[in-house]
Amino acid sequence: MQKSMKNLLVISIIITQQLVFLANASHSRKKIVPAFYVFGDSTVDAGNNNNLNTLAKANVFPYGIDFNNCSTGRFTNGKTFADIIAIRLGLPLPPLYLDVSESERHHVATGINYASGSCGILNSTRAGECLSLDKQIEYFTSTVANDLPRIIHSKRKLRLYLSKSIYLISIGSNDYMLNYFNPNGTNNNLNPEEYANYLLEQLTLRIKRIYDLGARKFVISRIGQIGCTPISVIRTLFSKNCNEYVNQMVKLYSDKLPGKLQELQTQLSHSLFINVDNCSFSQKIRNSPEQFGFKNIFDPCVQRGKPCVNRNEYYFYDFAHPAEAANKIFANECFSGIQLCFPHNIEKLIHAH
């Protein structure tokens, strides 16, 4: 009985995702890349953690209230950054790796979401069970080696498919929040600059593994201003301010990332990288929130388990994650704008050779 109920829930989630895709199909009338593969943490996890032994889950109300009122496991009220990029690419929302049975995985050719909340670049970063970035890449390896060849029979066509697809990696904030800033963290002996360098080295090794499997076009997120999340904000009776100590620590990593990606692009033949400058763009929003439609940039929309009514006016949905309104602004700007993703947007990445 429990198994059949779980199957019904999975089917319901998939149907819901397809309905959302159809409702937003006006963004892009046809598929413009073969596939979209998503790696990362809770910023782009769409429900993989539902299948794991962890408290880091978002499959309960009020999450998903604007996703057909379905709590799929997204850590927001509606769509994530990755969801909106998929729609703009003319693709269905990438199915969750852990939700697709082994016997069905070879039918999926438009991309997969491997992301897992509370995980980080380092295997030691986690809160309970999660799919480490290493584990996500292991699953992608299986996709490339075992599943895709069953639909794409020519090795040449498979190489072309992989080289033209888009690969999003949105990860790193938990390596600070759950690891470096944690008294029980595994690398507290390193100074801030050493830790940033270590994280970048570890990320680089993992990007190379994805590249070696055939990926060529990457979208890599910097770590955002986590000192400005509701859980980190410094509050007094008269003011609310970002925790700049936290922001400056993370900035060391984010400032070095573009240079590291440029090095990789030089080393890895035919690779192309764009970085998502969350820090600078979110600061632009903070400087003029009204211009972006926000009235509250410090507090979570969800208070005492209840969502606010005016969700489009809140930058944050919960204690750490953006509301769909913010995700839409970031995704659309990265896809076709000039202020967030560098050295160019995703639209140009698609057509680059």
Side-chain angles (χ1 to χ4, degrees):
M1 180 70 176
Q2 285 183 335
K3 189 175 180 180
S4 62
M5 288 296 290
K6 185 178 180 182
N7 288 339
L8 284 170
L9 178 60
V10 170
I11 291 167
S12 171
I13 289 170
I14 291 170
I15 290 171
T16 299
Q17 290 182 335
Q18 295 305 318
L19 286 171
V20 171
F21 167 65
L22 290 170
N24 290 276
S26 59
H27 278 288
S28 184
R29 292 187 178 87
K30 63 179 182 178
K31 183 171 75 169
I32 53 180
V33 295
F36 179 47
Y37 289 95
V38 181
F39 304 84
D41 54 25
S42 57
T43 54
V44 288
D45 182 1
N48 276 313
N49 273 23
N50 297 350
N51 302 281
L52 303 175
N53 182 21
T54 176
L55 294 175
K57 296 182 182 181
N59 58 344
V60 294
F61 181 84
Y63 292 108
I65 189 170
D66 297 309
F67 198 97
N68 285 6
N69 204 22
C70 185
S71 303
T72 60
R74 290 165 169 80
F75 289 77
T76 186
N77 56 307
K79 292 183 283 295
T80 67
F81 176 89
D83 291 334
I84 298 157
I85 296 297
I87 290 166
R88 293 294 304 267
L89 291 170
L91 297 169
L93 306 188
L96 302 164
Y97 185 81
L98 294 184
D99 266 1
V100 183
S101 68
E102 197 171 336
S103 62
E104 294 295 318
R105 283 179 191 144
H106 71 277
H107 293 305
V108 181
T110 53
I112 292 177
N113 187 326
Y114 305 94
S116 178
S118 88
C119 267
I121 296 165
L122 307 179
N123 290 330
S124 56
T125 298
R126 58 184 60 238
E129 194 180 3
C130 74
L131 304 181
S132 66
L133 186 52
D134 274 346
K135 177 59 74 173
Q136 293 177 38
I137 297 170
E138 180 186 315
Y139 285 151
F140 178 60
T141 303
S142 178
T143 299
V144 173
N146 303 321
D147 302 325
L148 290 174
R150 296 180 65 182
I151 349 172
I152 307 169
H153 304 296
S154 158
K155 287 185 179 180
R156 184 188 65 80
K157 287 181 179 178
L158 179 56
R159 280 197 302 271
L160 189 64
Y161 161 94
L162 291 167
S163 70
K164 290 186 174 297
S165 296
I166 304 292
Y167 303 83
L168 170 66
I169 303 176
S170 178
I171 203 163
S173 60
N174 292 322
D175 291 292
Y176 282 92
M177 297 302 287
L178 300 179
N179 201 330
Y180 193 62
F181 296 146
N182 184 338
N184 299 315
T186 55
N187 298 95
N188 295 354
N189 58 314
L190 301 178
N191 69 41
E193 186 154 6
E194 288 172 338
Y195 186 66
N197 290 336
Y198 178 62
L199 280 183
L200 288 166
E201 287 167 13
Q202 294 302 308
L203 178 65
T204 297
L205 291 172
R206 287 154 178 81
I207 289 172
K208 285 180 177 178
R209 286 169 56 197
I210 299 173
Y211 169 88
D212 288 341
L213 290 164
R216 294 295 180 268
K217 297 184 176 184
F218 295 87
V219 179
I220 314 288
S221 286
R222 302 193 205 184
I223 302 173
Q225 292 182 312
I226 55 179
C228 297
T229 56
I231 197 172
S232 300
V233 164
I234 298 170
R235 302 169 191 274
T236 69
L237 285 174
F238 308 105
S239 67
K240 299 172 186 176
N241 295 291
C242 295
N243 186 325
E244 290 305 332
Y245 171 78
V246 170
N247 282 343
Q248 289 305 311
M249 291 281 197
V250 172
K251 193 172 184 291
L252 290 169
Y253 169 94
S254 290
D255 284 352
K256 290 171 181 279
L257 179 64
K260 185 63 73 173
L261 296 181
Q262 188 59 50
E263 283 177 31
L264 273 178
Q265 189 162 308
T266 304
Q267 295 167 11
L268 306 177
S269 178
H270 302 296
S271 67
L272 293 164
F273 292 91
I274 63 176
N275 74 84
V276 185
D277 188 1
N278 298 314
C279 299
S280 299
F281 192 67
S282 60
Q283 189 57 51
K284 286 179 183 176
I285 293 176
R286 291 184 179 287
N287 292 341
S288 307
E290 296 84 5
Q291 288 184 18
F292 294 88
F294 295 115
K295 291 186 177 177
N296 193 316
I297 57 172
F298 286 113
D299 301 313
C301 165
V302 175
Q303 300 279 350
R304 297 176 183 173
K306 294 182 178 180
C308 58
V309 176
N310 50 337
R311 291 183 285 280
N312 288 337
E313 297 176 359
Y314 276 74
Y315 184 94
F316 288 103
Y317 189 60
D318 67 4
F319 64 93
H321 303 99
E324 182 186 66
N327 287 332
K328 282 182 177 177
I329 291 169
F330 275 75
N332 288 323
E333 182 63 31
C334 186
F335 193 86
S336 54
I338 58 171
Q339 301 182 78
L340 174 60
C341 290
F342 301 96
H344 44 246
N345 58 37
I346 293 174
E347 216 163 34
K348 290 185 178 176
L349 178 68
I350 292 163
H351 301 293
H353 297 289

